[in-house]
Amino acid sequence: MPSMMRPALAASLVALSLALAGCGQPQPAPAEAPTASAEASLSQEPIDAVPVTAEPTPAPAPVAPPKPKTEPVVSKPAEPVGEPGSCLAEIGEARSKRLVERCIQVSPATRPPCNSANPCDMIQGEIDRSCAMYGPDEVKPKECAA
């Protein structure tokens, strides 16, 4: 049996050698430059290409000169009117602002109604309520006396 394996082993080695030998072979060189006869036959063929002519570029459109910068007209805003029923609408900006400031100074509330968009009676009511919380022997803020 060992003698039968040897021819099979030898045949396998030969096949493997041939396969590997083909892998390392360089590829054939590419064809050289065309011969003179090939060039002559090419030069006699008609050329179908149409020459491309460059179209003239259009002139740029004229640019208008920049306009001079002008300062925007700012008019003095009109006196705030406020919503109907608001303290701002009832007594005007200056007086409602003073009332709101007094309210903020005396109110212990985390979100007091001290806003000129609220009615003046509501703001004054918060001032009165806050000032009434002081006892007879406590010193009231000056905003309570105003």
Side-chain angles (χ1 to χ4, degrees):
M1 248 306 179
S3 59
M4 283 179 118
M5 279 182 148
R6 285 188 189 188
L9 181 59
S12 297
L13 286 175
V14 169
L16 183 61
S17 297
L18 290 175
L20 289 176
C23 291
Q25 294 293 325
Q27 296 202 0
E32 296 295 321
T35 61
S37 63
E39 285 181 16
S41 66
L42 287 177
S43 64
Q44 294 174 2
E45 292 179 15
I47 298 176
D48 292 336
V50 178
V52 177
T53 58
E55 293 181 20
T57 34
V63 177
K67 294 181 180 179
K69 293 183 178 178
T70 58
E71 293 295 321
V73 178
V74 178
S75 61
K76 183 179 177 185
E79 176 120 358
V81 178
E83 295 292 318
S86 69
C87 191
L88 182 62
E90 288 178 36
I91 61 175
E93 183 178 12
R95 289 178 60 201
S96 69
K97 186 176 180 178
R98 280 192 304 258
L99 191 63
V100 166
E101 301 234 347
R102 280 182 57 214
C103 180
I104 292 171
Q105 293 297 319
V106 299
S107 178
T110 56
R111 295 185 55 97
C114 307
N115 188 327
S116 61
N118 291 328
C120 292
D121 291 339
M122 181 186 289
I123 299 170
Q124 185 62 52
E126 178 65 16
I127 293 170
D128 295 342
R129 181 189 74 81
S130 300
C131 291
M133 291 171 50
Y134 288 93
D137 50 330
E138 292 181 310
V139 179
K140 293 182 180 182
K142 64 180 181 179
E143 287 81 8
C144 288

